[in-house]
Amino acid sequence: MTSLTMTFLRATRALVVLFAALPGLLHASSQQGLLPVEQAFRLSWQAQPDGELRLSWDIASGYYLYKERIKVRALDDGVTPGDLVLPDGVAKHDEYFGDVQIYRDWVEARLALAGATRIAITVQGCHEVDPQICYPPYVTNLNVAAGGGADPNVSASDAAAIGEPVQQGLQRVASASSSAMGIAGVMALAILITLGLALPFLAIGFIPALASRLPRPDAWIETLKQFLAFPLYATAAWLAWVLTRQRGAAQIVAELEGERS
Amino acid sequence: MNKSVSLLWVCVLPLVMFAIGLQTGAAWSKESIGVAEKKVAAVAQGFQLIDLEGKRHALSEWAGQPLLINYWASWCGPCIKEMPDLDAFSKSQANAGGVRVIGIATDEADAVRAFLKRVPVSFPILVETIPEGGRGSATLFGDTGGVLPYSVLLNAQGRVVHSKLGSLSRAELESWVKSIHSS
């Protein structure tokens, strides 16, 4: 066996281990299918040339933010930024709080920086469908000098990295054991995924004529296979990075050794 | 023959991987409960649990009897909705061997005081201050995100027998109590 083939096999093994761990990662980062707070209320911001800071929150469906509980303070000494300018929210009657204003979907705010370079923003929001819960106040520190960006706390498992539908699907699958989906639903979904993966092979099995349309295996296919080890390696490295971000370096060592820390 | 064997592999392998993944996920979530299964006395150390008079408390004070811990805050709508129910439950459990109820507010003491003036409850309320970016005692009972409300039922031996994210209904509380007496 060539060393490149060995490389390929090793990369594949690492990938299998990490792929198998992915539902676990998503499970660990969410409770009963709830999004982590930084993903439920996704912040992005942009410093304007005129010294104004534009902030916006992309609020996941089923979640809301309290208008009154969005707070801003400067982390620089002796600097007081202007008041946060927020649009009118949607009126909500709260059994205890009375009439409050909330935001769903999306909200943009403006802030006169008045020379502030570092800003701490606190938001507080809730999940309004079952399970009805509230997140603790969540603070994000922004370095305004950087110009603009998204919440630095959003980890690599962020929907933007994996693709929202994929992640939400996986999350739903991962938390299925505690949700209404049940084991039958999980198995049905697993079988569907499996069928999808197997479809090309099955198609050839049922329609053998298709096989003649396949490219002939030759030396080139070995080269291609070996080349493909590299993206596979990159994927494994990326997943390893996600794992260290979410579980710490100790966990990844334990995982690759197949042991539980 | 060979073809059907490899076909079988193609079908079976993803399923196996998927099952492994689910197992891993379940094991990880169990791991956090495993931590919570330590005795209450051990868990109590290192957390800033203060009553409204400013006196420090440890969870070990309630060891030896079934204990329902309710994490809440005055800014949490679903939490305060269940407070009257919890109060009624607490009163109904006043008999010997009944479930003790404590509320832990991850909130500011002043806000808690103001709330309790409006909606008094008979069970003890503690205030837990969680440092910014830090983790509170609820984490040990499986509430990794510090999300509220969160309730855990410990048996007299200090083990977690039930936990729930979100409001508890009376019916759920009743079934929790039943299970604690049958176990």
Side-chain angles (χ1 to χ4, degrees), chain B residues 80-137:
Chain B
I80 57 192
K81 212 161 129 189
E82 68 174 347
M83 290 301 261
D85 274 349
L86 285 172
D87 195 33
F89 173 75
S90 160
K91 283 177 179 149
S92 75
Q93 292 287 319
N95 56 310
V99 177
R100 296 291 165 265
V101 179
I102 60 167
I104 298 183
T106 54
D107 200 349
E108 280 147 25
D110 285 342
V112 173
R113 254 181 237 116
F115 170 79
L116 292 174
K117 211 170 269 172
R118 285 170 61 181
V119 186
V121 296
S122 58
F123 56 88
I125 296 287
L126 303 178
V127 175
E128 179 173 25
T129 312
I130 301 168
E132 206 171 283
R135 295 183 153 222
S137 57

Coordinates of all heavy atoms in Angstrom, one line a residue, chain B residues 80-137:
Chain B
I80 N -42.3 33.2 36.5 CA -43.2 33.8 37.5 C -44.6 33.3 37.4 O -45.3 33.3 38.3 CB -43.1 35.3 37.5 CG1 -43.4 35.9 36.1 CG2 -41.7 35.8 37.9 CD1 -43.1 37.3 36.0
K81 N -44.9 32.8 36.2 CA -46.2 32.2 35.9 C -46.4 30.9 36.8 O -47.5 30.7 37.3 CB -46.3 31.8 34.5 CG -47.7 31.9 33.9 CD -47.6 32.0 32.4 CE -48.6 31.0 31.8 NZ -48.3 30.9 30.3
E82 N -45.3 30.2 37.0 CA -45.5 28.9 37.8 C -45.3 29.1 39.3 O -45.4 28.2 40.0 CB -44.5 27.8 37.2 CG -43.0 28.1 37.5 CD -42.1 26.9 37.0 OE1 -42.7 25.8 36.8 OE2 -40.9 27.2 37.0
M83 N -44.9 30.3 39.7 CA -44.6 30.5 41.1 C -45.8 30.2 42.0 O -45.7 29.5 43.0 CB -44.2 32.0 41.4 CG -42.8 32.3 40.9 SD -41.5 31.3 41.6 CE -40.9 32.3 42.8
P84 N -47.0 30.6 41.7 CA -48.2 30.3 42.6 C -48.4 28.8 42.7 O -48.7 28.3 43.8 CB -49.4 31.0 41.9 CG -48.8 32.1 41.1 CD -47.4 31.6 40.6
D85 N -48.2 28.1 41.6 CA -48.4 26.6 41.6 C -47.3 26.0 42.5 O -47.6 25.1 43.2 CB -48.2 26.1 40.2 CG -49.5 26.1 39.4 OD1 -50.5 26.4 40.0 OD2 -49.4 25.9 38.2
L86 N -46.1 26.5 42.4 CA -45.0 25.9 43.2 C -45.3 26.2 44.7 O -45.1 25.4 45.6 CB -43.7 26.5 42.8 CG -43.1 26.0 41.6 CD1 -41.8 26.9 41.2 CD2 -42.7 24.6 41.7
D87 N -45.9 27.4 45.0 CA -46.2 27.7 46.3 C -47.2 26.8 46.9 O -47.1 26.3 48.0 CB -46.7 29.2 46.4 CG -46.7 29.8 47.8 OD1 -45.8 29.3 48.6 OD2 -47.5 30.6 48.1
A88 N -48.3 26.6 46.1 CA -49.4 25.7 46.5 C -48.8 24.3 46.7 O -49.1 23.6 47.7 CB -50.5 25.7 45.5
F89 N -47.9 23.9 45.8 CA -47.3 22.5 45.9 C -46.5 22.4 47.2 O -46.6 21.5 48.0 CB -46.4 22.3 44.7 CG -45.6 21.0 44.8 CD1 -46.2 19.8 44.7 CD2 -44.2 21.1 45.1 CE1 -45.5 18.6 44.8 CE2 -43.5 19.9 45.2 CZ -44.1 18.7 45.0
S90 N -45.7 23.5 47.5 CA -44.9 23.5 48.7 C -45.7 23.3 49.9 O -45.4 22.6 50.9 CB -44.1 24.8 48.7 OG -43.6 25.1 50.0
K91 N -46.9 24.1 50.0 CA -47.7 24.0 51.1 C -48.3 22.6 51.3 O -48.5 22.1 52.4 CB -48.8 25.0 51.0 CG -48.3 26.4 51.3 CD -49.4 27.5 51.1 CE -48.9 28.9 51.5 NZ -49.5 29.9 50.7
S92 N -48.7 22.0 50.2 CA -49.3 20.6 50.2 C -48.3 19.6 50.6 O -48.6 18.5 51.0 CB -49.9 20.3 48.9 OG -48.8 19.9 48.0
Q93 N -47.0 19.9 50.6 CA -45.9 18.9 50.9 C -45.3 19.1 52.3 O -44.3 18.7 52.6 CB -44.8 19.0 49.9 CG -45.2 18.5 48.5 CD -45.4 17.0 48.5 OE1 -44.6 16.2 49.1 NE2 -46.4 16.5 47.8
A94 N -46.1 19.9 53.2 CA -45.5 20.3 54.4 C -45.4 19.1 55.4 O -44.7 19.2 56.4 CB -46.3 21.4 55.1
N95 N -46.1 18.0 55.1 CA -46.0 16.8 56.0 C -44.6 16.3 56.1 O -43.7 16.5 55.3 CB -47.0 15.8 55.5 CG -46.7 15.4 54.0 OD1 -46.5 16.3 53.2 ND2 -46.5 14.1 53.7
A96 N -44.4 15.4 57.1 CA -43.1 14.8 57.3 C -42.8 13.9 56.1 O -43.6 13.2 55.6 CB -43.1 14.0 58.6
G97 N -41.6 14.0 55.6 CA -41.2 13.2 54.4 C -41.6 13.8 53.1 O -41.4 13.2 52.0
G98 N -42.3 14.9 53.2 CA -42.7 15.6 52.0 C -41.6 16.2 51.2 O -40.5 16.3 51.7
V99 N -41.9 16.7 50.0 CA -40.8 17.4 49.2 C -40.7 18.8 49.7 O -41.6 19.6 49.7 CB -41.2 17.3 47.7 CG1 -40.2 18.0 46.9 CG2 -41.4 15.9 47.3
R100 N -39.4 19.2 50.0 CA -39.1 20.6 50.3 C -38.9 21.3 49.0 O -38.4 20.7 48.0 CB -37.9 20.7 51.2 CG -38.0 20.1 52.6 CD -39.0 20.9 53.4 NE -39.4 20.1 54.6 CZ -40.6 19.4 54.7 NH1 -41.4 19.3 53.6 NH2 -40.9 18.7 55.8
V101 N -39.3 22.6 49.0 CA -39.1 23.3 47.8 C -38.2 24.5 48.1 O -38.4 25.2 49.1 CB -40.5 23.9 47.3 CG1 -40.3 24.7 46.0 CG2 -41.5 22.7 47.0
I102 N -37.2 24.8 47.2 CA -36.5 26.0 47.3 C -36.4 26.7 45.9 O -36.4 26.0 44.9 CB -35.1 25.9 47.9 CG1 -34.2 25.0 47.1 CG2 -35.1 25.4 49.4 CD1 -32.7 25.1 47.5
G103 N -36.4 28.0 45.9 CA -36.3 28.7 44.7 C -34.9 29.3 44.7 O -34.5 29.9 45.7
I104 N -34.2 29.2 43.6 CA -32.9 29.9 43.4 C -33.1 30.9 42.3 O -33.3 30.5 41.1 CB -31.8 28.9 43.1 CG1 -31.6 27.9 44.3 CG2 -30.5 29.7 42.9 CD1 -30.5 26.9 44.2
A105 N -33.0 32.2 42.6 CA -33.2 33.2 41.6 C -31.8 33.6 41.1 O -31.0 34.1 41.9 CB -33.9 34.4 42.3
T106 N -31.6 33.5 39.8 CA -30.3 34.0 39.2 C -30.6 35.4 38.8 O -30.9 35.6 37.6 CB -29.9 33.1 38.1 OG1 -31.0 33.0 37.1 CG2 -29.6 31.7 38.5
D107 N -30.6 36.3 39.7 CA -31.2 37.6 39.6 C -30.5 38.5 40.6 O -29.7 38.1 41.4 CB -32.7 37.5 39.8 CG -33.5 38.6 39.2 OD1 -32.9 39.6 38.8 OD2 -34.7 38.6 39.2
E108 N -30.9 39.8 40.5 CA -30.4 40.7 41.5 C -31.3 40.7 42.8 O -32.6 40.6 42.6 CB -30.4 42.1 41.0 CG -29.1 42.3 40.1 CD -29.3 43.3 38.9 OE1 -30.3 44.1 39.0 OE2 -28.6 43.2 38.0
A109 N -30.7 40.8 43.9 CA -31.5 40.6 45.2 C -32.6 41.7 45.3 O -33.8 41.3 45.7 CB -30.6 40.8 46.4
D110 N -32.4 42.9 44.8 CA -33.4 43.9 44.9 C -34.6 43.6 44.0 O -35.8 43.8 44.4 CB -32.8 45.3 44.4 CG -31.9 45.9 45.5 OD1 -32.0 45.4 46.7 OD2 -31.1 46.8 45.2
A111 N -34.3 43.1 42.8 CA -35.4 42.7 41.9 C -36.2 41.6 42.5 O -37.5 41.6 42.4 CB -34.9 42.4 40.5
V112 N -35.6 40.7 43.1 CA -36.2 39.5 43.7 C -37.1 40.0 44.9 O -38.3 39.6 45.0 CB -35.2 38.5 44.3 CG1 -35.9 37.4 45.0 CG2 -34.4 37.9 43.1
R113 N -36.6 40.9 45.7 CA -37.4 41.4 46.8 C -38.6 42.1 46.3 O -39.7 41.9 46.8 CB -36.5 42.4 47.6 CG -36.1 41.8 49.0 CD -35.3 42.8 49.7 NE -34.0 42.2 50.0 CZ -32.8 42.6 49.6 NH1 -32.7 43.7 48.9 NH2 -31.7 42.0 49.9
A114 N -38.5 42.9 45.3 CA -39.6 43.7 44.8 C -40.7 42.7 44.2 O -41.9 42.9 44.4 CB -39.1 44.6 43.7
F115 N -40.2 41.7 43.6 CA -41.1 40.7 43.0 C -41.9 40.0 44.2 O -43.1 39.8 44.1 CB -40.4 39.7 42.2 CG -41.3 38.5 41.8 CD1 -42.2 38.6 40.7 CD2 -41.2 37.3 42.5 CE1 -43.0 37.6 40.4 CE2 -42.1 36.2 42.1 CZ -43.0 36.4 41.1
L116 N -41.2 39.5 45.2 CA -41.8 38.8 46.2 C -42.8 39.6 47.1 O -43.7 39.1 47.7 CB -40.7 38.1 47.1 CG -39.9 37.0 46.5 CD1 -38.8 36.6 47.4 CD2 -40.8 35.9 46.1
K117 N -42.6 40.9 47.0 CA -43.5 41.8 47.7 C -44.9 41.7 47.0 O -45.9 41.7 47.6 CB -43.0 43.2 47.7 CG -43.4 44.1 48.9 CD -42.7 45.4 49.0 CE -41.4 45.3 49.8 NZ -40.6 46.5 49.6
R118 N -44.8 41.6 45.7 CA -46.0 41.5 44.9 C -46.6 40.1 44.9 O -47.8 39.9 44.9 CB -45.8 42.0 43.5 CG -45.7 43.5 43.3 CD -45.2 43.8 42.0 NE -46.1 43.4 40.9 CZ -45.8 43.6 39.6 NH1 -44.7 44.2 39.2 NH2 -46.7 43.2 38.7
V119 N -45.7 39.1 44.8 CA -46.2 37.7 44.7 C -45.4 36.9 45.8 O -44.4 36.3 45.5 CB -45.9 37.1 43.3 CG1 -46.5 35.7 43.2 CG2 -46.4 38.0 42.2
P120 N -45.9 37.0 47.0 CA -45.2 36.3 48.1 C -45.3 34.8 47.9 O -46.3 34.3 47.5 CB -45.9 36.8 49.4 CG -47.0 37.7 49.0 CD -47.2 37.6 47.5
V121 N -44.2 34.1 48.3 CA -44.3 32.7 48.3 C -43.8 32.2 49.7 O -43.0 32.9 50.4 CB -43.4 32.0 47.2 CG1 -43.9 32.3 45.8 CG2 -41.9 32.4 47.3
S122 N -44.2 31.0 50.1 CA -43.9 30.6 51.4 C -42.6 29.8 51.5 O -42.0 29.5 52.6 CB -45.1 29.7 52.0 OG -45.3 28.6 51.1
F123 N -42.1 29.3 50.3 CA -40.9 28.5 50.4 C -39.6 29.4 50.3 O -39.7 30.5 49.9 CB -40.9 27.4 49.3 CG -41.0 28.0 47.9 CD1 -39.9 28.4 47.1 CD2 -42.3 28.0 47.3 CE1 -40.1 28.8 45.8 CE2 -42.5 28.5 46.0 CZ -41.4 28.9 45.2
P124 N -38.5 28.9 50.8 CA -37.3 29.7 50.9 C -36.8 30.1 49.5 O -36.8 29.3 48.6 CB -36.3 28.8 51.6 CG -36.9 27.6 52.0 CD -38.3 27.5 51.4
I125 N -36.3 31.3 49.4 CA -35.8 31.8 48.1 C -34.3 32.2 48.4 O -34.0 32.9 49.3 CB -36.6 33.1 47.6 CG1 -38.0 32.7 47.3 CG2 -35.9 33.7 46.4 CD1 -38.2 32.0 46.0
L126 N -33.5 31.7 47.5 CA -32.1 32.1 47.5 C -31.7 32.8 46.3 O -32.4 32.7 45.2 CB -31.2 30.8 47.6 CG -31.4 29.9 48.8 CD1 -30.5 28.7 48.7 CD2 -31.2 30.6 50.1
V127 N -30.7 33.7 46.4 CA -30.3 34.4 45.2 C -28.9 34.0 44.9 O -28.0 33.8 45.7 CB -30.3 36.0 45.5 CG1 -29.7 36.7 44.4 CG2 -31.7 36.4 45.9
E128 N -28.7 33.7 43.6 CA -27.4 33.2 43.2 C -26.9 34.2 42.2 O -27.5 34.5 41.1 CB -27.5 31.8 42.5 CG -26.1 31.4 42.0 CD -26.1 30.0 41.5 OE1 -27.1 29.5 41.1 OE2 -25.0 29.4 41.5
T129 N -25.7 34.8 42.5 CA -25.1 35.7 41.6 C -24.1 34.9 40.7 O -23.1 34.3 41.2 CB -24.3 36.8 42.4 OG1 -25.2 37.3 43.4 CG2 -23.9 37.9 41.5
I130 N -24.3 35.0 39.4 CA -23.4 34.3 38.5 C -22.5 35.3 37.9 O -23.0 36.2 37.2 CB -24.2 33.5 37.4 CG1 -25.1 32.5 38.1 CG2 -23.2 32.8 36.5 CD1 -26.2 31.9 37.2
P131 N -21.2 35.2 38.1 CA -20.3 36.1 37.5 C -20.4 36.1 35.9 O -20.7 35.1 35.4 CB -18.9 35.7 37.9 CG -19.1 34.3 38.3 CD -20.5 34.1 38.8
E132 N -20.2 37.3 35.3 CA -20.3 37.4 33.9 C -19.5 36.3 33.2 O -18.3 36.2 33.4 CB -19.9 38.8 33.4 CG -20.6 39.2 32.1 CD -20.3 40.7 31.9 OE1 -20.9 41.6 32.5 OE2 -19.4 41.0 31.0
G133 N -20.2 35.6 32.3 CA -19.5 34.5 31.6 C -19.2 33.3 32.4 O -18.7 32.3 31.9
G134 N -19.6 33.3 33.7 CA -19.4 32.2 34.6 C -20.6 31.2 34.5 O -21.6 31.4 33.8
R135 N -20.5 30.2 35.3 CA -21.6 29.2 35.3 C -22.2 29.0 36.7 O -21.4 29.1 37.7 CB -21.0 27.8 34.9 CG -20.6 27.9 33.5 CD -20.1 26.6 32.9 NE -20.3 26.7 31.5 CZ -20.7 25.6 30.8 NH1 -21.0 24.5 31.4 NH2 -20.9 25.7 29.5
G136 N -23.5 28.9 36.8 CA -24.1 28.8 38.1 C -24.3 27.4 38.5 O -23.9 26.4 37.7
S137 N -24.9 27.2 39.6 CA -25.1 25.8 40.1 C -26.1 25.0 39.2 O -26.0 23.8 39.2 CB -25.6 25.9 41.5 OG -26.8 26.6 41.6

